[in-house]
Amino acid sequence: MAGSRRRDGGGGSAGGEASPLRLIAIAAVLIGLVLVSLRLLPGSPLSSAAAAQWGAPSAPVDRAANATSDRRSRPPVSPSPSPSLEPLPFADKQIDLDIEGWYAWSVLDTRTGKMFGSKNMTETSTTASLIKSWIVADYLRRADEAGQTPSDAKLADATRIIRDSDNTRAEQFYNSVGRSASIKRMISICKTADSSPAADGGWSRTNLSPRDTARLGACISDGRAAGPEWTKWLISEMRLVRGSGDFGIRKAFPAAEQKKIAIKNGWIDRTREQEMHINCLAIGNNWTMGVMVRYPINMGYEYGMKNCQRITEAVLRSDT
């Protein structure tokens, strides 16, 4: 009609209807969102393709199960063995020697505390000069505890007691440490189980067993007896025992080894009992040993001195 106007808005859709192009764009966006959702949805056919493309797992991974499987597939790991201790030069065995009278022996492993010896190693005998090792140790430790340093003269006396077994000087030292009170300290400090002071209070008749002799050696070796200040000095002196007192345990070892073994021996003729009492104490590398012998008095000193060595030789390992 002439004079009529168009109402299509100059190319827009009439009545709010969307144009075909806009509908196509909206549909494309929706399809894209659906495809993305399918890729992320577990179990979807598209999820495996996405995993192949991006390196992501197509399904949740059971890490605990995998770890268990890995552990089962690996060979078991053996624990590292603890370092074994070097064997002592002695064998833990019983011996039967043709020796007149009574004898007993004991060895203590100072690393482990293990002790072994003859079945009668708890029986006691009188120590004679062997106990001088404790008397000197007790004197030195008490002096240090009192803040005192023994004079050169006193140290020279101690050397004579240890190296040469001087009886007169030993009696002087024994008086200075309280006589039998000193033996009671030994029992307490060294944890000896069979020992006792002499009934007459003298040092020579102190009672020790072979196992307590080995314990006394350990007490000297680890510093309880002489204390930290004087232990090395005392052990050095005991390695220098000379003369008639140098016999017994260390004589069973090669000459080069003997110099490293500290000793203190005792020997006496007991007229009351009509017996010889011969005793040997030795401190070696990681071990201590006690040997004690009693036999008829008319057989002399040398018989027992040699038998201390003989007993030691009998219990040495064959490869020593």
Side-chain angles (χ1 to χ4, degrees):
M1 254 187 345
S4 63
R5 296 181 181 175
R6 295 182 62 180
R7 298 186 181 185
D8 57 9
S13 59
E17 294 179 357
S19 68
L21 291 175
R22 179 174 294 179
L23 289 173
I24 291 171
I26 292 170
V29 170
L30 291 174
I31 291 170
L33 291 173
V34 170
L35 291 174
V36 170
S37 299
L38 287 174
R39 287 190 175 195
L40 299 176
L41 183 66
S44 166
L46 295 178
S47 65
S48 59
Q53 181 178 356
W54 303 109
S58 59
V61 177
D62 188 343
R63 298 183 185 278
N66 284 350
T68 301
S69 176
D70 287 346
R71 285 195 297 269
R72 288 175 180 171
S73 64
R74 293 195 297 266
V77 178
S78 300
S80 299
S82 56
S84 57
L85 295 176
E86 181 181 353
L88 297 182
F90 306 97
D92 182 358
K93 64 180 181 179
Q94 295 301 309
I95 57 175
D96 185 11
L97 303 179
D98 182 19
I99 294 177
E100 187 76 20
W102 171 91
Y103 69 89
W105 63 276
S106 182
V107 170
L108 173 62
D109 186 332
T110 54
R111 301 165 300 182
T112 65
K114 179 184 177 182
M115 181 176 287
F116 56 90
S118 58
K119 291 180 180 179
N120 59 347
M121 66 179 177
T122 63
E123 295 180 21
T124 63
S125 191
T126 65
T127 63
S129 293
L130 184 150
I131 200 63
K132 293 172 183 174
S133 59
W134 166 257
I135 295 171
V136 171
D138 196 31
Y139 170 81
L140 293 171
R141 188 195 70 260
R142 284 163 56 83
D144 186 55
E145 289 172 349
Q148 301 169 355
T149 300
S151 65
D152 290 344
K154 278 294 183 184
L155 288 178
D157 286 345
T159 291
R160 292 287 298 277
I161 295 170
I162 298 298
R163 294 192 199 183
D164 303 314
S165 209
D166 186 291
N167 287 336
T168 301
R169 289 172 173 83
E171 185 70 18
Q172 293 169 354
F173 270 55
Y174 191 56
N175 287 333
S176 72
V177 294
R179 299 184 68 80
S180 60
S182 177
I183 305 304
K184 292 176 182 177
R185 282 193 295 273
M186 179 196 70
I187 295 169
S188 175
I189 293 171
C190 300
K191 309 300 181 186
T192 56
D194 314 311
S195 312
S196 62
D200 63 4
W203 52 263
S204 176
R205 283 188 173 271
T206 300
N207 293 288
L208 281 182
S209 63
R211 73 170 180 175
D212 277 356
T213 300
R215 286 171 175 151
L216 172 57
C219 191
I220 293 170
S221 178
D222 65 22
R224 285 173 291 156
E229 182 67 23
W230 292 103
T231 294
K232 288 184 179 179
W233 183 92
L234 177 57
I235 291 176
S236 176
E237 291 298 309
M238 291 174 69
R239 287 177 177 148
L240 297 172
V241 167
R242 58 199 174 192
S244 57
D246 184 11
F247 64 87
I249 296 170
R250 74 177 175 187
K251 293 295 186 181
F253 289 82
E257 187 70 17
Q258 291 180 28
K259 298 176 183 179
K260 304 174 186 177
I261 299 175
I263 64 169
K264 191 72 190 87
N265 297 321
W267 62 103
I268 193 168
D269 51 339
R270 297 291 186 200
T271 54
R272 185 193 312 169
E273 295 89 348
Q274 286 295 291
E275 292 177 336
M276 301 295 298
H277 289 199
I278 311 294
N279 311 296
C280 299
L281 162 65
I283 302 170
N285 183 27
N286 301 322
W287 59 267
T288 61
M289 185 176 190
V291 179
M292 306 185 100
V293 180
R294 289 196 307 264
Y295 54 92
I297 197 170
N298 61 356
M299 299 182 72
Y301 292 113
E302 195 167 331
Y303 181 77
M305 293 173 173
K306 287 184 175 179
N307 279 322
C308 264
Q309 177 180 340
R310 185 181 170 198
I311 292 165
T312 306
E313 290 170 342
V315 297
L316 285 175
R317 293 198 337 265
S318 58
D319 58 342
T320 298

